[in-house]
Amino acid sequence: MALYAIADLHLSGFKSKPMDIFGENWKNHSDKIKINWSNIVENDDTVLIAGDISWAINYDEVDCDLRFVENLPGKKIFVKGNHDYWWEGISRLNGQYKNMKFLQNISESYKNIAICGTRGWLPPSDDKFTNDDIKIYKREIIRAELSLSNTIGKSFDEVVFVMHYPPAYEDFRDTEFTELFKKYNVKKVVYGHLHGEKNFEMGISGEHNGIEYMLVSSDYIDFTPKKIIEC
């Protein structure tokens, strides 16, 4: 049994939206994901999916993409990405699909591991951060702590946090997210959002303050779920 992670599936089964405009490696990327995933993930494994799941706008459009993921091996745990406009009605989503959970203000578990998460947002240190981002950023901090606090009083050997945006950037400057990770003794953080060679190095990576940070954008990990824990 193992825990895997991948982000940025960018599925578009409801309409044609080729992704190879972002690079030749994105050509037929959904086929690559299906083949690679099926070759390594077993039914008793769990895969964390760190946002940007589908280009759909509403539930009717996203259903075929979620069914695509549902039919892949393993249990799946999702957090929202910045392009997941269809994400609403969390109770409906969590009741609709087999072996699939959508994290929002709660935690899930895998064996003796707590899985927490939220979408995240641009950090205030980012050059693109504006006053309009403050409310969203603060809300995501609240959601992150709600998810993490859901583990209090429960017996877990390890806490893993999954988010879409990088929790910090390449300067490794602490953010409110990284402070929360220290407060709740998080051991691993996986995230996506960054695409293309020139952007892969922008996010925090490796071990910092006893926490391991991993970028799992699909194009960074060659459209193959990355194993993060073997149980």
Side-chain angles (χ1 to χ4, degrees):
M1 299 177 68
L3 185 65
Y4 292 85
I6 189 170
D8 304 281
L9 304 184
H10 286 296
L11 301 173
S12 58
F14 65 100
K15 68 177 181 180
S16 177
K17 188 176 177 65
M19 286 290 293
D20 53 343
I21 59 172
F22 299 105
E24 186 65 23
N25 59 329
W26 281 95
K27 188 173 183 179
N28 299 320
H29 78 287
S30 61
D31 292 335
K32 294 179 184 177
I33 291 170
K34 181 177 180 179
I35 292 169
N36 295 341
W37 183 312
S38 299
N39 282 340
I40 64 171
V41 177
E42 303 288 343
N43 284 329
D44 57 358
D45 296 331
T46 291
V47 183
L48 309 179
I49 303 177
D52 278 6
I53 300 139
S54 170
W55 288 109
I57 300 298
N58 55 49
Y59 181 82
D60 289 338
E61 290 182 348
V62 79
D63 185 57
C64 63
D65 290 334
L66 294 180
R67 296 294 178 189
F68 172 89
V69 180
E70 181 183 36
N71 289 329
L72 295 172
K75 177 181 177 181
K76 300 89 181 179
I77 299 176
F78 302 83
V79 296
K80 185 179 182 179
N82 60 304
H83 290 298
D84 290 322
Y85 301 115
W86 51 269
W87 183 295
E88 58 182 21
I90 194 70
S91 296
R92 179 184 185 183
L93 288 170
N94 276 323
Q96 193 73 21
Y97 302 96
K98 182 180 179 181
N99 292 325
M100 289 171 44
K101 291 294 182 181
F102 299 80
L103 283 186
Q104 188 167 297
N105 304 336
I106 60 171
S107 66
E108 287 288 331
S109 62
Y110 172 74
K111 302 289 284 184
N112 57 346
I113 299 165
I115 309 298
C116 301
T118 193
R119 175 182 57 182
W121 200 249
L122 290 172
S125 60
D126 192 285
D127 291 339
K128 296 178 182 178
F129 192 91
T130 69
N131 287 336
D132 293 335
D133 294 304
I134 294 173
K135 182 178 179 179
I136 302 173
Y137 181 80
K138 291 295 185 183
R139 183 178 64 206
E140 287 299 310
I141 293 295
I142 291 170
R143 286 180 170 170
E145 185 150 30
L146 284 171
S147 181
L148 287 164
S149 65
N150 192 242
T151 66
I152 294 174
K154 302 175 183 178
S155 180
F156 290 111
D157 291 343
E158 188 169 340
V159 179
V160 175
F161 198 91
V162 52
M163 59 192 301
H164 182 63
Y165 281 88
Y169 283 83
E170 74 275 14
D171 58 6
F172 307 138
R173 188 185 309 174
D174 275 330
T175 65
E176 290 180 72
F177 285 110
T178 60
E179 293 296 337
L180 280 178
F181 300 154
K182 287 186 282 186
K183 176 181 176 180
Y184 287 93
N185 199 30
V186 173
K187 293 301 182 185
K188 297 181 188 296
V189 177
V190 297
Y191 66 91
H193 188 64
L194 302 178
H195 301 297
E197 293 289 341
K198 67 178 183 179
N199 294 320
F200 288 151
E201 302 302 320
M202 289 178 58
I204 186 172
S205 64
E207 186 172 317
H208 300 276
N209 296 314
I211 304 167
E212 184 179 5
Y213 293 89
M214 289 171 277
L215 172 64
V216 293
S217 298
S218 283
D219 49 336
Y220 181 69
I221 57 176
D222 197 25
F223 306 97
T224 305
K226 179 181 176 65
K227 184 184 291 186
I228 61 172
I229 296 177
E230 183 80 56
C231 293

